[in-house]
């Protein structure tokens, strides 16, 4: 079975968040299920520079305002087709934003082009190769089935995966002709979404199946509170909407072999983990024998980290330290920076893959007070590295972390701490609960070992995706 994945991010070529990890890991996991994935990506500079065995396979005279070349290549074992179109993607930095943090003004064209090429690959754009199923990720791929439905040619089944309903790909209706879609597509059963074009909405409406990245989030987005204006449509998809939990690539995230660590360790050599904590504390001037929290996150309101400054007095009272690695909304970055005190907080505003690995390996507990979380990967990375996640009971966080309540502690199954809501009181209570368990070294280490043996890989979920694809062909 041949699957074409359409995505705007792919680890290790281009990453702003978990979408890249998922798109990068699924092809390898699906190969075990006899599914061959080819991934279509925008040819951002980092993508073109990172491809190996790259060769041009097709030229397009005019792709929304300029010429394009399809380049076929590899990233590790993964097969990639990149769209080399300098007028659309030849810009350094973030895939979606300019250097002042504003959306690129032509994002509609940039990602419609991605979807258009995806649809045209179904129609034999590269002679001799046609996918059986197209798997689109997020709003950037949402128009694939619109092109398949509303323009001439062969169609193929489309699976729409929602990684985050908060990003819906909304653009003015007037752009429709520029995107090469007929006005007949602009209806409630097509691309229209609350008076504009909604690319994710189009994908959700027109896909043969819709998935999202955890069972709990699949339920949450069908409610008015969690549905971001799409709950009615999502409910109408009934059993075509499924929640398939994300995993992480356990070869990339492996504390036994991780070159970013000061000291590698396993469940059996847990005591070696300390060296990573010592390295972090030395780097940031923190007390090595105190409880140490970590944060690795986009700094946005989704992630609830605006709650953090108000909880620092609680951390102080508990004698705990914290290491924060994050980047995002400037006002949030500033608020955290303003609250930082030397000796209590290590703060790095930016993106640093190696430091992220060291934080999972060296802090005791990872704070993830998200307001909503489709799946979340950092709790999985943390658990794999014996760092206990402290999470809000929402979305994929609810599905992956077993709360250290009395019963779970007694049954020796707890893997982290859940809090009922993303608010200051819940966060403070959670911090105190963590400190109480941490005082009991035996209980803490038992939780670490439980967390480290939790099944966080892709095997089970890849089988679910493969079964879904097979239903369709
Ligand atoms: P989201 O996709 O919503 O940002 P996820 O938890 O699904 O959240 O995935 C986040 C991914 O990005 C993880 O691989 C995490 O390690 C990584 N990450 C987030 N922020 C940073 C950062 N500042 N530096 C390095 N890696 C980061
Ligand atoms: C999104 C979500 C995150 C999820 C990731 C990968 O970025 O915010 O919860 O883990 O996609 O599916």
């Amino acid at each position: 079975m041949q699957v074409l994945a359409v995505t705007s991010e792919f680890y290790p070529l281009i990453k702003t968040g978990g979408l890249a990890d998922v798109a990068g890991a699924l092809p390898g996991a699906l190969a075990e299920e006899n599914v061959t994935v080819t991934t279509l990506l925008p040819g951002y500079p980092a993508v073109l520079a990172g491809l190996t065995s790259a060769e041009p396979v097709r030229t397009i005279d005019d792709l929304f305002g300029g010429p394009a070349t399809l380049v076929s290549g590899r990233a590790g074992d993964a097969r990639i087709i990149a769209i080399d179109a300098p007028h659309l993607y030849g810009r350094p930095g973030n895939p979606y934003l300019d250097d002042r943090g504003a959306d690129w003004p032509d994002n509609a064209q940039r990602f419609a082009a991605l979807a258009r090429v995806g649809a045209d690959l179904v129609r034999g754009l590269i002679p001799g190769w046609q996918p059986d199923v197209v798997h689109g990720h997020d709003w950037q791929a949402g128009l694939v089935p619109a092109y398949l439905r509303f323009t001439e040619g062969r169609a193929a089944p489309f699976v729409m995966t929602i990684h985050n309903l908060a990003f819906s790909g909304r653009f003015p209706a007037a752009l429709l002709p520029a995107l090469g879609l007929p006005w007949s597509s602009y209806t409630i059963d097509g691309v229209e979404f609350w008076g504009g074009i909604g690319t994710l909405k189009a994908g959700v409406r027109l896909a043969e199946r819709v998935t999202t990245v955890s069972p709990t989030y699949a339920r949450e987005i069908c409610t008015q509170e969690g549905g971001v204006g799409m709950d009615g449509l999502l409910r109408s998809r009934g059993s075509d909407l499924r929640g398939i939990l994300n995993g992480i690539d356990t070869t990339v995230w492996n504390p036994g072999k991780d070159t970013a660590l000061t000291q590698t360790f396993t469940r059996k050599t847990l005591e070696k983990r300390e060296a990573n904590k010592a390295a972090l504390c030395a780097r940031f001037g923190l007390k090595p024998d105190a409880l140490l929290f970590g944060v690795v996150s986009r700094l946005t309101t989704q992630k609830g980290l605006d709650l953090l400054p108000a909880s620092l007095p609680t951390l102080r009272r508990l004698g705990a330290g914290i290491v924060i690695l994050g980047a995002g909304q400037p006002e949030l970055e500033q608020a955290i920076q303003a609250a930082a005190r030397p000796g209590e907080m290590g703060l790095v505003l930016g993106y640093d893959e190696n430091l992220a690995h060291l934080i999972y390996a060296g802090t005791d507990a990872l704070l993830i007070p998200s307001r909503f979380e489709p799946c979340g990967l950092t709790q999985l990375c943390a658990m794999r590295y014996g760092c206990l996640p402290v999470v809000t009971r929402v979305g994929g966080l609810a599905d992956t972390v077993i709360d250290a309540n009395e019963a779970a502690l007694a049954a020796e199954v707890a893997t982290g701490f859940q809090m009922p809501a993303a608010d200051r009181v819940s966060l403070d209570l959670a911090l105190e609960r963590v400190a109480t368990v941490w005082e009991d070294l035996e209980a803490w280490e038992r939780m670490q070992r439980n967390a480290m043996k939790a099944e966080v890989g892709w095997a089970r979920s890849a089988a679910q995706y493969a079964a879904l694809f097979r239903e369709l062909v």
Side-chain angles (χ1 to χ4, degrees), residues 290-364:
L291 171 60
L292 184 62
F293 288 93
V295 169
V296 177
S297 186
R298 288 188 291 121
L299 298 178
T300 65
T301 28
Q302 172 190 346
K303 301 292 179 178
L305 291 163
D306 49 301
L307 300 170
L308 202 57
S311 285
L312 290 179
T314 306
L315 275 188
R316 203 166 294 143
R317 189 163 48 70
L318 297 170
I322 186 164
V323 176
I324 300 174
L325 168 63
Q329 294 168 1
E331 65 282 9
L332 258 171
E333 293 188 351
Q334 281 151 21
I336 293 174
Q337 200 156 29
R341 283 202 209 163
E344 279 175 11
M345 184 196 290
L347 174 63
V348 175
L349 294 175
Y351 194 89
D352 185 338
E353 196 78 37
N354 283 329
L355 180 58
H357 284 240
L358 190 62
I359 292 176
Y360 299 130
T363 59
D364 297 301

Side-chain angles (χ1 to χ4, degrees), residues 7 27 41 63 93 118 121 203 231 249 255 269 306 313 348 361 372 379 403 441:
T7 173
L41 278 170
L63 183 64
L121 286 169
D231 46 296
D249 184 332
T269 60
D306 49 301
V348 175
F372 66 94
Q379 80 279 17
D403 178 56
L441 183 63

Side-chain angles (χ1 to χ4, degrees), residues 142-143 168-171 186 190-193 196-203:
L143 289 180
S168 61
R170 278 198 80 197
F171 300 101
Y186 190 69
V191 305
E192 190 275 340
F193 183 51
I197 299 167
T199 64
L200 182 63
K201 183 266 156 151

Side-chain angles (χ1 to χ4, degrees), residues 123-416:
R123 294 165 176 174
L125 188 61
I126 297 178
W129 182 77
Q130 280 168 307
D132 303 305
V133 176
V134 183
H135 184 192
H137 296 273
D138 271 351
W139 68 268
Q140 297 91 340
L143 289 180
V144 173
Y147 289 113
L148 291 174
R149 180 79 58 99
F150 297 109
T151 66
E152 285 287 299
R154 172 184 182 251
F158 180 78
V159 176
M160 179 81 249
T161 293
I162 303 168
H163 295 266
N164 196 337
L165 199 65
F167 300 104
S168 61
R170 278 198 80 197
F171 300 101
L175 283 177
L176 208 61
L179 303 185
L181 283 166
W183 282 106
S184 60
S185 69
Y186 190 69
T187 71
I188 193 170
D189 294 318
V191 305
E192 190 275 340
F193 183 51
W194 298 113
I197 299 167
T199 64
L200 182 63
K201 183 266 156 151
V204 168
R205 175 63 187 79
L206 299 168
E208 273 65 27
R209 296 284 186 278
V210 180
T211 74
T212 188
V213 290
S214 71
T216 294
Y217 192 61
R219 287 191 295 276
E220 288 169 349
I221 58 179
C222 287
T223 66
Q224 210 168 42
E225 199 190 356
V228 205
M230 232 186 282
D231 46 296
L233 171 60
L234 285 160
R235 281 194 299 277
S236 78
R237 296 300 322 238
S239 61
D240 289 345
L241 168 64
R242 320 239 171 114
I244 303 180
L245 202 60
N246 284 338
I248 53 172
D249 184 332
T250 50
T251 59
V252 174
W253 301 103
N254 179 0
K257 290 199 176 138
D258 192 327
T259 53
L261 306 194
T262 303
Q263 170 79 63
T264 58
F265 60 96
T266 64
R267 223 147 47 89
K268 294 209 177 75
T269 60
L270 193 54
E271 69 288 349
K272 291 192 185 166
R273 190 176 187 276
E274 277 305 293
N276 298 300
K277 183 170 178 181
L280 275 178
C281 291
R283 170 161 171 189
F284 294 108
L286 304 170
K287 290 181 294 214
D289 41 10
L291 171 60
L292 184 62
F293 288 93
V295 169
V296 177
S297 186
R298 288 188 291 121
L299 298 178
T300 65
T301 28
Q302 172 190 346
K303 301 292 179 178
L305 291 163
D306 49 301
L307 300 170
L308 202 57
S311 285
L312 290 179
T314 306
L315 275 188
R316 203 166 294 143
R317 189 163 48 70
L318 297 170
I322 186 164
V323 176
I324 300 174
L325 168 63
Q329 294 168 1
E331 65 282 9
L332 258 171
E333 293 188 351
Q334 281 151 21
I336 293 174
Q337 200 156 29
R341 283 202 209 163
E344 279 175 11
M345 184 196 290
L347 174 63
V348 175
L349 294 175
Y351 194 89
D352 185 338
E353 196 78 37
N354 283 329
L355 180 58
H357 284 240
L358 190 62
I359 292 176
Y360 299 130
T363 59
D364 297 301
L366 194 79
L367 293 182
I368 318 173
S370 303
R371 295 198 163 75
F372 66 94
E373 196 62 75
C375 180
L377 300 176
T378 61
Q379 80 279 17
L380 304 180
C381 302
M383 288 184 338
R384 179 120 167 99
Y385 284 67
C387 170
L388 302 183
V390 184
V391 306
T392 333
R393 193 178 300 130
V394 294
L397 299 172
D399 293 341
T400 52
V401 175
I402 302 176
D403 178 56
N405 54 47
E406 236 175 274
L409 283 173
E412 303 189 358
V413 294
T415 59

